[in-house]
C-alpha cells in the first residue's frame, strides 16, 4: 500500500472483525497465517473504531502473525473507543510486532493508548518504532501517547511529548 490517504473510515459492526481498524484491518489468525503488508507514504486521518485501532488494527492470534511495516506515514485525528486511537497491535497467542519508521502520531484519542496500544497478552508484541513522533494524543484512562500491556517495544530516535490522560 503506497501513497494513499485513508480518511473517514468507521469500523462499527457487530463482530470482532467489524469493530477494529477504521482505516486498515490486518489479522493473522491461525498457525502460519500472516498479515504483514508494507504501508508507505500514507496518511490515516479521521478514522474511527468502535473497539480497537482507530486507524490501524494489527492482530496476530492463535499462532498467526500481524507485523506490518509502516514507513513515512501520518496518523492524525483518529479514535478508538477502547484501545489504540492511532494503532492497535495485539498478540493473542500469536505475534504482532510492527516496524514503524518515520511516522507521526498526532491528535489521536482512545480509552487507553491515544497514539498507540501494544498488547502482548498471551503472545509476543515487540514493535520497533524508529524516528517516530508521538505528540498531542489523548487517552481517557491511561497512556495518552502509548500504552503497553505485556509488550516490549523498542524506541529509537523518537519524540514523545504532550497529550493527557484521565
Amino acid at each position: 500500500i503506497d501513497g494513499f490517504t485513508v480518511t473517514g473510515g468507521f469500523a462499527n459492526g457487530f463482530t470482532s472483525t467489524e469493530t477494529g481498524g477504521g482505516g486498515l484491518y490486518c489479522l493473522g489468525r491461525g498457525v502460519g497465517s500472516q498479515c504483514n503488508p508494507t504501508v508507505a507514504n500514507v496518511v490515516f486521518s479521521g478514522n474511527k473504531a468502535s473497539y480497537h485501532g482507530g486507524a490501524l488494527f494489527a492482530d496476530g492470534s492463535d499462532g498467526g502473525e500481524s507485523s506490518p511495516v509502516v514507513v513515512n506515514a501520518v496518523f492524525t485525528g483518529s479514535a478508538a473507543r477502547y484501545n489504540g486511537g492511532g494503532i492497535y497491535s495485539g498478540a493473542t497467542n500469536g505475534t504482532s510486532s510492527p516496524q514503524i519508521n518515520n511516522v507521526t502520531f498526532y491528535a489521536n484519542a482512545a480509552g487507553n493508548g491515544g497514539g498507540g496500544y501494544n498488547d502482548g497478552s498471551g503472545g509476543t508484541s515487540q514493535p520497533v518504532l524508529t524516528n517516530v513522533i508521538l505528540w498531542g494524543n489523548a487517552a481517557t484512562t491511561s497512556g495518552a501517547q502509548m500504552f503497553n500491556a505485556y509488550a516490549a517495544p523498542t524506541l529509537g530516535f523518537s519524540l514523545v511529548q504532550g497529550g493527557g490522560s484521565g
Side-chain angles (χ1 to χ4, degrees), residues 5 8-9 11 15 17 21 29 45 53 72 84 94-95 108 122 132 136 152 161 166:
T5 295
T15 68
T17 58
R29 177 178 283 157
S45 176
N72 301 327
T95 300
N108 300 290
V132 171
Q161 182 176 353

Side-chain angles (χ1 to χ4, degrees), residues 38-112:
T38 296
V39 178
N41 307 305
V42 174
V43 174
F44 289 94
S45 176
N47 298 287
K48 297 179 186 177
S50 60
Y51 209 70
H52 298 321
L56 172 59
F57 177 92
D59 188 55
S61 63
D62 302 326
E65 179 181 8
S66 180
S67 298
V69 175
V70 181
V71 181
N72 301 327
V74 175
F75 290 77
T76 186
S78 293
R81 183 176 185 186
Y82 294 106
N83 301 319
I87 183 172
Y88 172 84
S89 169
T92 309
N93 299 315
T95 300
S96 184
S97 298
Q99 306 294 307
I100 312 290
N101 193 3
N102 295 328
V103 175
T104 298
F105 293 89
Y106 173 70
N108 300 290
N112 296 294

Side-chain angles (χ1 to χ4, degrees), residues 77 105-109 114-115 133-139 144-145 159-164:
F105 293 89
Y106 173 70
N108 300 290
I133 297 171
L134 292 146
W135 177 60
N137 299 292
Q145 305 310 329
L159 171 66
V160 179
Q161 182 176 353

